[in-house]
Amino acid sequence: MDHFLYRDGQLWAEDVALAEIARAVGTPAYVYSAATLLRHFDLFDQALAGIDHLVCFAMKSLSNIAVLKLLGDAGAGMDVVSGGEYLRARAAGVPGARIVFSGVGKTRAEMHTALSGGIRQFNVESEPEMEALSEVAVALGVTAPITIRVNPDVDAQTHAKIATGKSENKFGIPISRARAVFAMAAALPGLRVVGIDVHIGSQLTTLAPFAAAYAKVAELTAQLRADGHAITRLDLGGGLGIPYTRSNEAPPLPAEYGAMIRQTLGHLGCEIEIEPGRLIAGNAGLLLSEVIYVKSGEGRDFLILDAAMNDLIRPAMYDAHHDIVPLVEPVAGVEQRPYDIVGPICETGDTFARARPMPPLAAGDLVAFRSAGAYGAVMASEYNSRLLVPEVLVSGDQFAVIRARPTYDEMISRDSIPAWL
Ligand code: LLP
């Protein structure tokens, strides 16, 4: 459920008409609903009620510090994958004790930043990374809490570019080698092994792959405990999928996911961490855009928008579907017609949808891409020297720009011409 609904013939974000935001901020622009973000966080938090747990928002999905503060104040932890994300989480006021550091290529500088600023744990993905972390921790005179990410060799049945739990993927250590790697970690100075980490992919729409991976984690926990390791924490990653269409998609709910976690891992008495990103942020955000032209082509009509692949890359990159809806509610029974919906960028990949049935639209009309809160703004670029898309947060009847659209001067002045040129 989200808080973007038609009322009085217009699309609203909570109690603010989206047309008002478009007027005030211009388009394209991302708009997030605070109530939806909090509701989605609460669903996960409640799903694990009664178990010692921490919901760490995968902030790679949406990393504006206003959003991080909103979730952090509600009790969320953060899953970070870079020094930049770590510093954003801290700037939003999230304590280090609630930040987990994931990622396959953490640099020593990033380890140093997190260790000196405070960190709940590093999710270590390889032996060389473990050695580097041991050295950095020893040099700082501290102990780094770690989990080790295992690769369970499970097919997440999702898009190939976002599956991470098969043995051919770059992530984690093969589960078959886990006992040896845990033994190595226990022998290294500056490290304290606290648990196991696993993450098998994103936009999973059934529970079976999770359950298969978590069953392997349960078995490994027993083995590692028998080997003498104190396994007290399990980080189960993120990945629960969302409905991208309004129709018949019904991925499992957080409550069902939580019940499956209890069933597969509840008996182990471990603290549970999860790292959802998309389910918290995805349907809590829209991308607003204006129709620049309606162009008739050979046997097809193009809706040319002022948003482009640099603002929302998911359709070009993953063939992802986003519902696109007009801000003015279509009258009931209006005849839909197919449009190819495209941006202004000079490549054919800048196509959001082909032959998409839409109510008739004209230049100047406003539309919204639904389900764009996750992996939207964070993946935006300035390709074609288009300004980085701004972000707006709505709460009740208030809204605020949480990232302003830069000016052309700001964009251009980041470059510099060498004195010798
Ligand atoms: N934890 C780890 C270690 C991850 O790698 C990811 C996502 C998550 C948690 C969060 O997964 P989520 O709950 O959001 O599914 N840009 C792609 C998605 C990339 C996901 C990468 N890892 C997209 O737009 O679909």
Side-chain angles (χ1 to χ4, degrees):
M1 201 204 88
D2 62 52
H3 293 75
F4 300 109
L5 299 171
Y6 285 112
R7 211 192 306 154
D8 305 328
Q10 284 205 68
L11 191 61
W12 295 69
E14 303 190 23
D15 295 323
V16 181
L18 285 159
E20 186 189 336
I21 297 178
R23 248 191 322 274
V25 180
T27 55
Y30 279 96
V31 180
Y32 311 117
S33 153
T36 312
L37 287 162
L38 290 175
R39 179 185 137 78
H40 291 163
F41 166 72
D42 277 345
L43 289 177
F44 278 113
D45 207 29
Q46 282 162 22
L48 296 175
I51 308 181
D52 192 7
H53 72 275
L54 184 65
V55 178
C56 295
F57 177 54
M59 58 176 276
K60 64 167 73 70
S61 64
L62 174 54
S63 58
N64 188 293
I65 61 171
V67 170
L68 304 184
K69 173 157 171 46
L70 177 82
L71 293 171
D73 287 355
M78 296 292 151
D79 166 38
V80 308
V81 291
S82 70
E85 284 196 350
Y86 175 83
L87 293 172
R88 276 180 177 276
R90 296 309 309 268
V94 180
R98 275 197 258 141
I99 301 177
V100 301
F101 202 143
S102 302
V104 70
K106 304 171 198 80
T107 65
R108 285 164 194 260
E110 290 174 321
M111 292 168 178
H112 188 281
T113 301
L115 274 176
S116 39
I119 188 85
R120 178 182 184 84
Q121 94 215 10
F122 290 89
N123 296 329
V124 171
E125 300 222 14
S126 68
E127 293 96 324
E129 182 197 336
M130 195 184 288
E131 283 164 353
L133 183 59
S134 163
E135 283 170 26
V136 176
V138 168
L140 276 170
V142 297
T143 300
I146 67 163
T147 69
I148 296 173
R149 178 168 175 182
V150 295
N151 184 324
D153 194 20
V154 163
D155 183 355
Q157 289 158 11
T158 185
H159 191 286
K161 283 188 187 156
I162 53 175
T164 54
K166 284 290 286 172
S167 57
E168 70 257 29
N169 301 132
K170 68 182 174 185
F171 300 98
I173 52 147
I175 202 160
S176 55
R177 231 171 51 219
R179 292 172 76 181
V181 177
F182 272 82
M184 176 184 160
L188 281 173
L191 304 182
R192 181 167 53 91
V193 182
V194 295
I196 307 172
D197 171 46
V198 70
H199 170 79
I200 57 171
S202 194
Q203 186 54 18
L204 273 69
T205 51
T206 61
L207 290 181
F210 289 115
Y214 298 170
K216 291 191 180 189
V217 169
E219 200 183 304
L220 180 63
T221 303
Q223 279 173 353
L224 292 172
R225 284 179 170 169
D227 290 348
H229 301 283
I231 303 297
T232 57
R233 206 179 268 177
L234 302 176
D235 183 331
L236 304 178
L240 195 57
I242 62 169
Y244 273 97
T245 62
R246 305 269 112 186
S247 48
N248 51 6
E249 265 179 284
L253 303 172
E256 295 166 308
Y257 176 66
M260 179 272 295
I261 290 175
R262 282 168 210 275
Q263 209 169 22
T264 47
L265 301 164
H267 60 287
L268 296 169
C270 286
E271 185 180 0
I272 300 289
E273 295 163 346
I274 53 172
E275 303 170 348
R278 192 189 308 266
L279 201 143
I280 292 178
N283 280 322
L286 301 177
L287 172 63
L288 295 184
S289 179
E290 184 177 316
V291 178
I292 311 177
Y293 299 114
V294 182
K295 171 176 167 174
S296 312
E298 191 86 48
R300 63 184 69 223
D301 288 338
F302 295 97
L303 277 185
I304 303 178
L305 304 183
D306 66 355
M309 63 189 286
N310 70 300
D311 304 307
L312 176 64
I313 203 168
R314 303 194 67 259
M317 193 148 175
Y318 314 109
D319 298 314
H321 171 100
H322 285 265
D323 276 355
I324 303 170
V325 295
L327 259 50
V328 173
E329 187 173 18
V331 268
V334 72
E335 201 185 323
Q336 306 228 326
R337 57 163 89 145
Y339 288 107
D340 281 14
I341 305 178
V342 302
I345 283 183
C346 306
E347 52 183 286
T348 302
D350 187 22
T351 297
F352 292 117
R354 291 209 165 74
R356 176 76 59 89
M358 296 286 287
L361 286 162
D365 286 348
L366 295 167
V367 296
F369 288 76
R370 285 191 178 274
S371 315
Y375 308 109
V378 288
M379 295 181 81
S381 76
E382 291 178 339
Y383 185 40
N384 276 211
S385 288
R386 292 166 49 84
L387 296 173
L388 202 57
V389 59
E391 296 173 280
V392 173
L393 183 64
V394 174
S395 179
D397 61 3
Q398 331 172 57
F399 72 90
V401 174
I402 56 172
R403 176 183 287 171
R405 194 188 312 278
T407 64
Y408 284 111
D409 276 350
E410 282 165 350
M411 180 178 74
I412 294 167
S413 65
R414 289 206 315 267
D415 296 5
S416 55
I417 297 178
W420 42 260
L421 198 69

